[in-house]
Structures are given as C-alpha cells and as structure tokens.
Amino acid sequence: MDDDSHEDGREHSERADHDGDHGGMHAGHEQMFRRRFFVSLALSVPVLLYSPFLQANLGFSMPAFAGSEWINPVFAVVVFAYGGVPFLRMAAPELRDRSPGMMTLISMAITVAFVYSLASVVFPTQSAFFWELVTLIDIMLLGHWIEMRSVRRASSALDELAKLMPDTAERITEGGETEEVPVSDLSEGDLVLVRPGASVPADGVVEAGDSDVNEAMITGESRPVSKEPGDEVVGGTVNGDGSLRVRIDATGEETTLAGIMRLVEEAQESRSNTQVLADRAAGWLFYVALGAAVVTGIAWTVATTFDVSVVERVVTVLVIACPHALGLAIPLVVAINTSLAARNGILVRDRIAMEDARNLDSIVFDKTGTLTEGEHGVVGTATVEGVDEDEALALAAAVEGDSEHMIARAIREAAEEWGIDAPDAEDFEAMKGRGVRAVVDGREVYVGGPNLLEHLEASVPSDLARFAEEAGENAQTVVYLVRGADRSEAPERTSGDEGSASREGELVAAFAMADVIREESYAVVDALHELGVEVAMLTGDSEDVAEAVADELGIDTVFAEVLPEDKDTNVQELQDQGKLVAMVGDGVNDAPALTRADVGIAIGSGTDVAVQSADVILVQNNPMDVVRLVKLSKASYRKMQENIVWAAGYNVFAIPLAAGVLAPVGVLLSPAIGALLMSLSTVIVAINAQLLRRVDLSVSGLPGVSASGQAGPAD
C-alpha cells in the first residue's frame, strides 16, 4: 500500500475519533487527487510530445535518441500505476458487492486502454492508446479533484459550526472569582462569565447583564438579538459589547449547536429519490457499456472482418462509457443544498422531504405564533350584571396563575398593569384544548375559549355574545370566565344565597385578546400564491377570529376551533383531495399533524432542534423561511435535472458514435475525443452544481416581496 493509502487511513481514523472533523475524509481525498493529478500531468507531457498521432496532426516533431521509442510506454505505465491505481482500489468494493457503478466503469476504461496499449508494443497495431490513456487518467483525476473540492466545501458547514464553540470558558466560583476551564469541564448549573466579543461556551440562561448577541450562525438572522436576565442564550453565539453571566443548562451533545450538527450531518448522509435513481443509472450503464461493446465487436466483425480495428472500436466504447458525471450530478447538488439551507436557518432531517417541497399543493400554518406574533394582550372586557371588571380580571388572573400559556401571561400582565391583586388559587388543572380550571375561595372557576363553553354546556348571555361578535370582527380572540359550584356551600341554601346561586356554573365575563398579525405574514401568503401553493390555516380560535385573520392575509382555507389532537385530521382532509400537503407548526403540540403531513415543518423551534416529528426545522420563528424552503427546493431540483441531462447526454451521444453508427459517413469517435467529452461533461456538472450557491434567499429575492422587502395587507 502506498503513502497515500496510509494517509487516507489515518485521515479516516482521525475523522472517526473527532466528531467535528466531518470534512476530513473529503479533504484527504481532495489532496490525494490534487497531488496525483499534477504528478500525472507532468509525467503525461513526454507521452503527448512523443505521440506519433499528435506530431502528425499538429505538425511538429521531437528529437529522436536511443530509447526514445520507449518514452510512451514507460511513462504511460508510471501514470497508470500512480494515477490509475486509486480508481482500481475504489472499484474493488463495488465488485465484491456485485454492484458495479462509477468506479467499476472508470477502472474498466483505463484498464482496457492500458492493456490494449501494452499489447500494441508486442503486437504492433495501427495506433496505440498511450496518449489517450494518460489523458484519460489525468482528466479523471481532475474530475475527482473538482468533485472532492466541491463536496468538501459544501460539507464545511459542519466544520464551521464546530469552530463556533470556544475551547475554554470563564467559570465563576462560589467565592465570586473566575477560573479558566476547558469547555468540556462545564456542567449543568455552572455560572460562567461571557465577556464582550467572546463566544457563549454552552447553552444557558442569562442571570445578570445586558448585551446584544450575534446568533447569525445559528438562526441565519444577521441582526444581533438583545439579551437580558431570564433570556436563553445558545452555545457558539457571539456576545456583543455587554458582559453576561450565564447559568449553564446544557453541555456537550445536549446543546443546540450539537443538535444542529447532527441534523446537518443526517441530511448530508441521507439520499433523495433523484440521487438513488442516478446511482442505479450508473450501475445500469455498466451493463449497457458491456452490451454495447459486445454488439460493436460482433457488428464490425460481420461487416468487415475481425482485426485490430474491431478491437480498437470495442476498446473505444469501453473507454468512453464512464458515468463519472452522472455520479456527480446529484451528490454535489445535495451537499450544496444542505449547506445553503443550514446557513439560512433551515435544518433538513429528510432529503426526500426537501425534494418534495417543490411540489407542494397546500401549506397549512398553525396560526398563533406563526402567522401572528403570538403575544396576546387584553384589549377589552365585558361582564354580566353584578360582576365588575376588576373582580372578573382578578378571578381570571388567579386561575391562570400556574399556566405558561401566552393568554395566561396576557391576563396576568393586564391584572398587574391595572393594579389588581389576584386571590390565591388551588387545585389547578389544565384542560387540553379547552382552557384551565382552579378553585378560588372555595369556588370552581374556569377560563377558556369556545371549546370550554361547549364542554361545560354553558350558555352565552346576549350582551357577552354581542361583545364576542364585535371582537371577532376585529380579529380578536375571546376568552371566557365561567364561575362554577361553591364547594364550601351546604347542600341546602338560604334565601340570601339566591343571587350567587343564580350564577353558579354560568358564564360571567369575557375578555378580548389581540394577537397582531406578523408583518411578514402578508408577504408569505403572497409569495406562496405566486409559487402556485394554496395556504391553509389551523387554529383553536373561534370561527370569527380565524376568518378575520384569513381575510386580512388572503388565506385560502381555514380550520377553526380545532383541538390539538384533531389537527392531523384536517391535514388528512386535504390529502384526501389528492394534495401534497406541508404542515407548519411548533413541533410539540403539532407533532401528530407534522407526522401526518407529506412535509412536516417545525417553525420557531429555536433551541429545540431535536424535533423528531418534523422533516424540516426552521430555527427562527419566521414564516418567510417556508418560502425560502420552497424556493431552494425548486432551485435544487432544477440543478439536479440539468446535471442529469448533461451527464446522461454525454453517454447517449458518445457510445453510439464510439460504436461506429456513423462510420458509413466517415464519423468515428476516437478514445481521446471521447475522454475529452466525458471530462467536459464532468466539469460542467461540477460548475453547474456550484451555481446553486447563487440562488437568492434574501427577503428581497423571494417571490411576492417588493425590492424594499416590504409587504402590505392582501387586496
């Protein structure tokens, strides 16, 4: 085994020992093919200069000397041994597995040319293939160098991510001093100091300090994000001008960065439908080449006679049948696609899903927090006679005291702003998809939406019904307060209790909650319509609220008052219409719907990158990334198609010409010209794949968005 083989082995071993060295193998192969290309090219020069064919056709001559007739065979043998052996070695696994492919065809081509040329030294023929042999090997080495360089650059996303993590951190001791420790020594609960300009060493929560943090490498968002006590920070992001004290809550493989790296690696190793087809085509071409060579030999023998020219035709067919460009057509695009997606905050777990995104008929959005800001505020209150607004808000704030739902936070914040003290609540219960329940001053109190009223079979007083109708017309969510039975009361009531008894189990108040439509949602719907994709919306809100938002945005289909467990049913409903459907949700409550959809997209996952139910994860809570996903899918598939045309077109054109179908009109394809055409298709495929990097995924470059990047309400 030569030095390069040892180098390859060391590089592979080092890559296995270091998770961050994802590109090590590609980098090692790139250097090996680069070195062998230049050495083989230098050794090929004498072969080309002393080729009788080239001297005769180019009109020059080289000085002859004793032994000069051996320049071609000797240098060609060296080029074959040095530059051709890697292809033979890589073909061995294909032959062992009885699955011939790219390497088998390349090896067959150069071996046939080599054997034929050596035979021509012993048995003089009309022409030897020495110069064709060395140029073929040179071109194949060049093609593989370009391939490995492209793949290594495309795979460098993982290396770049790994470089984001600092090597050391400043841990704050119990005495308040700082000590520099390796990041690997950090544990959950440690307090670290992140100085201005330093990288955050691990995921955590800010305990003290204010600063802007650059999260572009994680989210793709170029604008720094303001951080203050209580905010989460992600390991690998870069601190701005302020100083932060961060309490670590995840290290090592549990960090967001590690999760992103796993997802990127999974995506780069996964295989799309188009890639599988291209790999199969390479295997089929092996048998096509052998069949064409046999038919060529028989046809020429019958038409003329068996002589050295027939052998030359057969050799030519085998030499130029290499499908190298076909093998490059898909992997290069896939690698670049994954890298581009990751840099724009799009993490692809399933390559087939990314490929399917180009054909989507309908995209279903979960409304709250996706198409809307998801930050509610109390903008109106209505109560029944005998209950004042402060009392109602105090009861609602008490019941919502233990809930983390955005509506609960809005009610608590409203009570705090109005200076209302909420009483104590006990026996809290979250009623999935309906609301919450708790006991306040011995009485059951419920807070929730329309589904809660249906569950409790509570009637809506006319004044609250009018309030809810007006709120719905203004795209506001209505939350109801229901006061239930008093647990402290005796079974028999006195006449003095009739007033309160008349309200037991009754709806006593309603709160209007405003959820502002995200500015970019207008552009998202317009862009998807321009791409020919229908837009649907799922929400647990009332029909009035859902229709108001849909009318504002121009959404095609609305599913309102939907419980979380029923969302997948709505996705199935669209699929039953023959549509290819994507579901966009938060990846937690929407897990069944994400799994049911043809393409599941988890949006706004932020630090929760290990969403198992989604095919694609959008790091930012930005619906515009859905448009980026569709645009990138279309652009990538277009590049795959173009590359397959270039790669397959070469073989469709070259093999018949090499076989001699146009020989009657004086057109015969020599091995040299065939090798040049083959190399040209390989280089074109590699360059065409690189052009995918030019796809504009900026806001202004997306369909449906003006040059200024602004969007307004739908007409």
Side-chain angles (χ1 to χ4, degrees):
M1 186 178 291
D2 57 22
D3 292 339
D4 290 318
S5 300
H6 287 295
E7 290 173 11
D8 295 342
R10 284 195 301 272
E11 286 156 357
H12 181 77
S13 176
E14 290 169 1
R15 185 172 66 97
D17 292 337
H18 194 289
D19 292 338
D21 193 18
H22 178 75
M25 181 176 65
H26 293 307
H29 284 173
E30 177 191 349
Q31 293 303 317
M32 185 267 285
F33 281 116
R34 177 179 181 274
R35 180 170 56 253
R36 295 200 180 210
F37 165 70
F38 282 113
V39 172
S40 297
L41 181 63
L43 293 172
S44 300
V45 172
V47 179
L48 297 175
L49 292 177
Y50 279 88
S51 167
F53 176 81
L54 292 182
Q55 290 184 28
N57 283 274
L58 298 180
F60 72 94
S61 61
M62 295 297 294
F65 54 88
S68 61
E69 68 275 11
W70 291 101
I71 289 179
N72 276 4
V74 169
F75 278 84
V77 167
V78 175
V79 171
F80 177 81
Y82 183 71
V85 165
F87 300 109
L88 301 180
R89 193 162 55 236
M90 289 185 288
E94 294 182 357
L95 295 175
R96 282 197 302 268
D97 296 337
R98 297 181 181 179
S99 57
M102 261 197 321
M103 294 302 110
T104 304
L105 272 172
I106 295 173
S107 299
M108 179 180 67
I110 62 177
T111 301
V112 168
F114 177 67
V115 172
Y116 176 82
S117 298
L118 286 185
S120 69
V121 176
V122 181
F123 307 101
T125 60
Q126 183 175 359
S127 64
F129 281 177
F130 287 121
W131 81 269
E132 291 93 336
L133 169 65
V134 297
T135 53
L136 178 61
I137 291 175
D138 291 342
I139 291 168
M140 295 312 303
L141 288 172
L142 175 62
H144 271 70
W145 173 28
I146 293 174
E147 173 196 359
M148 290 301 153
R149 184 183 180 190
S150 300
V151 173
R152 189 259 304 167
R153 286 183 173 180
S155 301
S156 63
L158 288 176
D159 295 330
E160 294 303 316
L161 287 173
K163 292 176 183 177
L164 296 177
M165 293 300 295
D167 296 325
T168 61
E170 290 190 69
R171 183 166 57 191
I172 301 176
T173 65
E174 293 182 359
E177 303 294 328
T178 60
E179 58 178 355
E180 187 172 297
V181 297
V183 170
S184 57
D185 288 351
L186 291 178
S187 302
E188 185 176 343
D190 284 347
L191 185 65
V192 298
L193 173 64
V194 184
R195 298 183 185 276
S199 295
V200 178
D203 292 3
V205 178
V206 177
E207 283 205 354
D210 295 280
S211 185
D212 291 333
V213 176
N214 185 347
E215 297 182 341
M217 64 289 298
I218 301 295
T219 65
E221 174 58 55
S222 59
R223 291 174 297 182
V225 180
S226 177
K227 299 293 182 181
E228 57 187 23
D231 290 339
E232 294 182 344
V233 289
V234 176
T237 55
V238 180
N239 187 23
D241 295 332
S243 179
L244 297 175
R245 279 171 169 75
V246 176
R247 182 72 65 181
I248 302 300
D249 61 13
T251 60
E253 291 300 308
E254 302 301 319
T255 63
T256 296
L257 191 60
I260 291 175
M261 291 176 67
R262 283 194 299 271
L263 292 176
V264 174
E265 189 165 16
E266 284 177 14
Q268 289 183 341
E269 292 177 354
S270 66
R271 295 155 64 82
S272 68
N273 289 328
T274 313
Q275 183 177 350
V276 171
L277 178 61
D279 292 343
R280 288 178 180 173
W284 296 335
L285 190 58
F286 172 78
Y287 297 105
V288 170
L290 289 180
V294 171
V295 171
T296 299
I298 294 174
W300 278 83
T301 300
V302 171
T304 57
T305 184
F306 182 78
D307 56 17
V308 70
S309 64
V310 175
V311 176
E312 182 176 335
R313 282 296 97 210
V314 172
V315 170
T316 302
V317 170
L318 294 175
V319 165
I320 70 171
C322 171
H324 184 218
L326 184 62
L328 287 180
I330 305 306
L332 281 181
V333 176
V334 167
I336 295 171
N337 167 287
T338 306
S339 176
L340 273 177
R343 291 191 183 119
N344 284 275
I346 303 172
L347 307 179
V348 182
R349 295 185 66 243
D350 187 343
R351 289 296 330 160
I352 294 178
M354 166 59 96
E355 194 169 304
D356 286 344
R358 78 186 192 280
N359 290 324
L360 288 172
D361 299 305
S362 180
I363 297 181
V364 183
F365 288 89
D366 185 47
K367 179 184 78 72
T368 305
T370 302
L371 296 175
T372 62
E373 295 286 354
E375 293 294 333
H376 286 73
V378 178
V379 295
T381 305
T383 62
V384 297
E385 185 179 354
V387 177
D388 63 35
E389 294 185 359
D390 287 357
E391 178 187 357
L393 188 57
L395 282 176
V399 176
E400 297 283 16
D402 290 338
S403 175
E404 288 301 320
H405 194 277
M406 63 185 68
I407 289 179
R409 291 197 299 270
I411 290 176
R412 292 197 301 268
E413 289 173 0
E416 183 178 345
E417 289 175 5
W418 296 352
I420 298 173
D421 293 328
D424 294 332
E426 59 185 14
D427 196 18
F428 173 84
E429 177 188 357
M431 305 170 67
K432 187 176 182 181
R434 296 181 175 90
V436 294
R437 183 202 67 87
V439 176
V440 182
D441 294 332
R443 185 187 294 274
E444 288 187 329
V445 182
Y446 300 84
V447 177
N451 289 328
L452 174 67
L453 300 185
E454 182 179 347
H455 175 69
L456 297 177
E457 298 181 355
S459 60
V460 182
S462 58
D463 52 347
L464 295 189
R466 286 193 300 272
F467 174 81
E469 183 179 353
E470 293 174 0
E473 292 174 354
N474 294 321
Q476 297 167 353
T477 300
V478 178
V479 178
Y480 299 97
L481 175 69
V482 178
R483 187 155 53 184
D486 189 341
R487 291 185 173 185
S488 64
E489 284 188 339
E492 295 184 2
R493 304 177 186 278
T494 65
S495 59
D497 294 325
E498 290 179 0
S500 61
S502 66
R503 292 195 300 269
E504 288 175 4
E506 292 181 350
L507 175 60
V508 297
F511 305 98
M513 317 290 295
D515 185 7
V516 181
I517 296 175
R518 298 173 65 104
E519 183 179 349
E520 57 266 35
S521 294
Y522 298 102
V524 170
V525 176
D526 289 345
L528 292 176
H529 283 162
E530 188 169 324
L531 291 170
V533 181
E534 295 180 358
V535 181
M537 183 179 71
L538 274 172
T539 179
D541 288 340
S542 67
E543 193 78 34
D544 290 340
V545 173
E547 289 294 345
V549 173
D551 290 343
E552 179 79 3
L553 292 175
I555 290 174
D556 306 295
T557 305
V558 178
F559 300 100
E561 300 180 18
V562 180
L563 296 175
E565 59 267 26
D566 295 333
K567 290 182 178 180
D568 65 322
T569 304
N570 298 117
V571 172
Q572 180 68 55
E573 181 180 330
L574 293 173
Q575 291 174 325
D576 290 342
Q577 298 173 17
K579 298 177 180 178
L580 193 71
V581 181
M583 171 66 191
V584 184
D586 63 12
V588 181
N589 296 328
D590 301 319
L594 291 171
T595 303
R596 172 77 66 182
D598 299 289
V599 180
I601 304 172
I603 189 171
S605 297
T607 58
D608 182 21
V609 297
V611 182
Q612 297 302 314
S613 56
D615 303 308
V616 179
I617 298 170
L618 308 181
V619 178
Q620 294 188 87
N621 188 11
N622 187 352
M624 188 59 74
D625 288 339
V626 177
V627 182
R628 290 187 174 92
L629 172 67
V630 175
K631 182 176 181 179
L632 182 58
S633 176
K634 289 179 178 291
S636 299
Y637 188 71
R638 186 165 57 249
K639 285 299 176 189
M640 291 180 185
Q641 289 180 310
E642 292 170 357
N643 277 0
I644 288 179
V645 168
W646 280 111
Y650 156 76
N651 289 294
V652 170
F653 170 76
I655 290 180
L657 289 182
V661 295
L662 295 182
V665 296
V667 178
L668 276 175
L669 188 64
S670 71
I673 300 301
L676 289 175
L677 289 175
M678 174 186 59
S679 302
L680 181 61
S681 68
T682 299
V683 172
I684 290 175
V685 162
I687 293 175
N688 191 49
Q690 292 296 327
L691 293 178
L692 180 61
R693 297 181 184 277
R694 300 175 63 181
V695 61
D696 187 4
L697 296 179
S698 64
V699 173
S700 60
L702 298 178
V705 182
S706 65
S708 63
Q710 300 297 319
D715 294 331

